[in-house]
């Protein structure tokens, strides 16, 4: 028994719930919670809450449909970022490989600090506009 609540997952809003879930599923190598997979029979996908799990079955991310969500405008504060996630990679080579992959999945590069000697990083926006970073870190 824990003396404190334990984080379960991070939930993000998106105007296209399935679209953003698919982006993070592919980007992070996750899979859907049983029952959250896209309809196999081609029927309409009316998902408004999807949970993504890591390979061990632990919850990592949930995506909630919010059709009227305002897209963050970072670095401008016109519409705040609402959420910011950081993901570490072990080397600069991995940073470059994951940048290419993120962009191929629909991420938009917002800031390039890959030449920083102490903490190389990229800031992206996911397809719904939420900023996230890839950075080189050992832990």
């Amino acid at each position: 028994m824990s003396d404190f609540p334990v984080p379960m997952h991070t939930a993000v809003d998106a105007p296209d719930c399935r679209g953003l879930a698919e982006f993070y599923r592919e980007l992070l190598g996750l899979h859907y919670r049983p029952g959250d997979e896209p309809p196999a029979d081609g029927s309409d996908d009316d998902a408004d809450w999807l949970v993504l799990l890591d390979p061990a079955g632990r919850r990592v991310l949930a995506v909630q449909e919010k059709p009227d969500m305002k897209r963050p405008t970072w670095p401008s504060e016109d519409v705040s970022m609402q959420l910011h996630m950081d993901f570490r990679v072990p080397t600069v080579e991995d940073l470059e490989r994951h940048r290419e992959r993120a962009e191929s999945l629909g991420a938009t590069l917002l800031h390039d600090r890959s030449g920083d000697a102490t903490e190389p990083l990229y800031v992206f926006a996911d397809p719904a506009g939420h900023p996230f970073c890839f950075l080189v870190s050992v832990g």
Side-chain angles (χ1 to χ4, degrees):
M1 181 156 121
S2 175
D3 290 336
F4 301 98
V6 176
M8 191 163 71
H9 56 240
T10 299
V12 296
D13 292 344
D16 175 7
C17 185
R18 179 68 66 191
L20 194 62
E22 279 294 301
F23 172 80
Y24 280 111
R25 184 186 68 77
E26 291 187 40
L27 182 72
L28 302 175
L30 303 173
H31 65 275
Y32 288 105
R33 171 180 65 177
D36 284 354
E37 301 88 354
D41 63 2
S43 61
D44 286 342
D45 188 351
D46 60 357
D48 60 2
W49 177 264
L50 298 168
V51 176
L52 295 169
L53 311 174
D54 69 12
R58 292 179 297 253
R59 290 172 177 239
V60 175
L61 192 67
V63 181
Q64 174 176 271
E65 184 173 22
K66 183 150 179 24
D68 61 346
M69 185 198 102
K70 292 188 175 162
R71 184 181 180 89
T73 57
W74 188 91
S76 163
E77 289 295 322
D78 292 340
V79 177
S80 70
M81 71 170 75
Q82 306 157 12
L83 168 80
H84 176 104
M85 293 187 285
D86 291 337
F87 302 100
R88 73 174 179 258
V89 298
T91 67
V92 172
E93 292 78 21
D94 288 315
L95 182 69
E96 294 305 322
R97 181 171 56 85
H98 287 294
R99 173 195 174 169
E100 291 175 13
R101 191 159 174 279
E103 289 176 324
S104 76
L105 293 170
T108 303
L109 182 66
L110 299 177
H111 183 69
D112 179 347
R113 207 177 81 190
S114 60
D116 186 296
T118 55
E119 190 174 66
L121 66 83
Y122 288 117
V123 181
F124 301 92
D126 69 22
H130 304 102
F132 68 94
C133 293
F134 286 162
L135 59 126
V136 178
S137 176
V138 291

